[in-house]
Amino acid sequence: GEDVEQSLFLSVREGDSSVINCTYTDSSSTYLYWYKQEPGAGLQLLTYIFSNMDMKQDQRLTVLLNKKDKHLSLRIADTQTGDSAIYFCAEWSGTASKLTFGTGTRLQVTL
Amino acid sequence: NAGVTQTPKFQVLKTGQSMTLQCAQDMNHNSMYWYRQDPGMGLRLIYYSASEGTTDKGEVPNGYNVSRLNKREFSLRLESAAPSQTSVYFCASSEVGPSGEQFFGPGTRLTVL
């Protein structure tokens, strides 16, 4: 079955880069997503990458995909206090036709 | 556009009581979903509706029922609430297919005593 894993917590200083990692098991994944959840709110899509891509950049966000190792990462450059949130990776399983979420990584940005 | 709305925002139930969580979207999306979020477990899919008139079980359907009332509305019912159903419930909607972004409601925080 599909399984998506993330570390639970990351703390960085304001202005540094953050790297949030994710591993998945489903080799039929076609799309991989990063969602952000701010306190008391629902999830918002940050970015996504198609499985035939290695990298996608969108302003301060860089997504790297290593399909061989089934490893996805999200890099946030110049991290700000407003980036403090829980970040979820998710993969779309082509076989099961559903989105599977990781456990979420809580990013804490300190001054 | 309001996006995805959910009611109520908070609810406290006693064991054995029933309730219905309401969800509506105004984006003309075909697909709608119900998830629950528990600490350290991410989001788990309860039920989904790929299109109006269809519903399917997700990962954790036991103890829940759903109704896709029309294209806009998708409700989740707990017939006999249990403490294990204490959670935050999110409704989401999307276009059909994997590249369709899922839009989430603000969530309902449910406590079952």
Side-chain angles (χ1 to χ4, degrees):
Chain A
E2 307 83 25
D3 194 18
V4 182
E5 294 189 357
Q6 301 177 240
S7 54
L8 290 180
F9 185 76
L10 176 66
S11 181
V12 299
R13 296 180 70 168
E14 189 178 39
D16 288 350
S17 292
S18 307
V19 179
I20 302 171
N21 295 301
C22 171
T23 58
Y24 61 98
T25 57
D26 188 356
S27 56
S28 72
S29 297
T30 51
Y31 286 85
L32 296 123
Y33 303 82
W34 284 103
Y35 282 83
K36 178 183 180 182
Q37 183 183 32
E38 295 185 352
L43 279 69
Q44 284 187 299
L45 181 68
L46 277 179
T47 186
Y48 68 89
I49 188 168
F50 189 52
S51 59
N52 68 354
M53 297 169 65
D54 297 324
M55 186 182 85
K56 181 178 181 181
Q57 188 149 4
D58 184 2
Q59 299 181 336
R60 291 191 300 123
L61 304 178
T62 303
V63 179
L64 295 177
L65 175 61
N66 181 329
K67 196 172 180 183
K68 175 176 168 288
D69 294 337
K70 298 189 181 68
H71 182 266
L72 182 73
S73 67
L74 174 69
R75 179 176 179 268
I76 305 172
D78 187 25
T79 310
Q80 302 297 308
T81 55
D83 295 324
S84 293
I86 301 176
Y87 291 81
F88 291 91
C89 68
E91 57 105 10
W92 177 268
S93 166
T95 50
S97 294
K98 68 180 182 78
L99 204 56
T100 299
F101 286 87
T103 52
T105 299
R106 182 179 295 276
L107 176 64
Q108 179 184 68
V109 183
T110 59
L111 296 174
Chain B
N1 286 350
V4 180
T5 57
Q6 292 183 236
T7 55
K9 284 189 166 48
F10 300 94
Q11 183 71 47
V12 179
L13 293 177
K14 293 181 179 177
T15 297
Q17 287 185 315
S18 62
M19 78 161 296
T20 300
L21 281 64
Q22 307 286 352
C23 173
Q25 53 93 8
D26 61 2
M27 295 171 282
N28 203 35
H29 286 160
N30 286 297
S31 300
M32 298 185 73
Y33 311 83
W34 276 105
Y35 294 91
R36 59 177 288 173
Q37 182 180 23
D38 301 293
M41 299 188 75
L43 271 74
R44 292 181 292 169
L45 183 64
I46 305 171
Y47 270 93
Y48 67 101
S49 171
S51 61
E52 187 179 354
T54 69
T55 61
D56 287 287
K57 293 178 181 179
E59 186 184 349
V60 287
N62 291 346
Y64 305 95
N65 284 301
V66 289
S67 295
R68 183 74 182 266
L69 305 169
N70 47 55
K71 193 171 185 180
R72 289 188 64 246
E73 297 171 289
F74 188 38
S75 62
L76 178 73
R77 182 159 177 85
L78 287 71
E79 289 292 351
S80 178
S84 61
Q85 294 178 304
T86 293
S87 187
V88 181
Y89 291 85
F90 288 100
C91 177
S93 71
S94 73
E95 284 300 331
V96 176
S99 60
E101 173 184 353
Q102 289 197 13
F103 291 81
F104 284 79
T108 295
R109 187 174 295 274
L110 175 67
T111 301
V112 183
L113 302 175

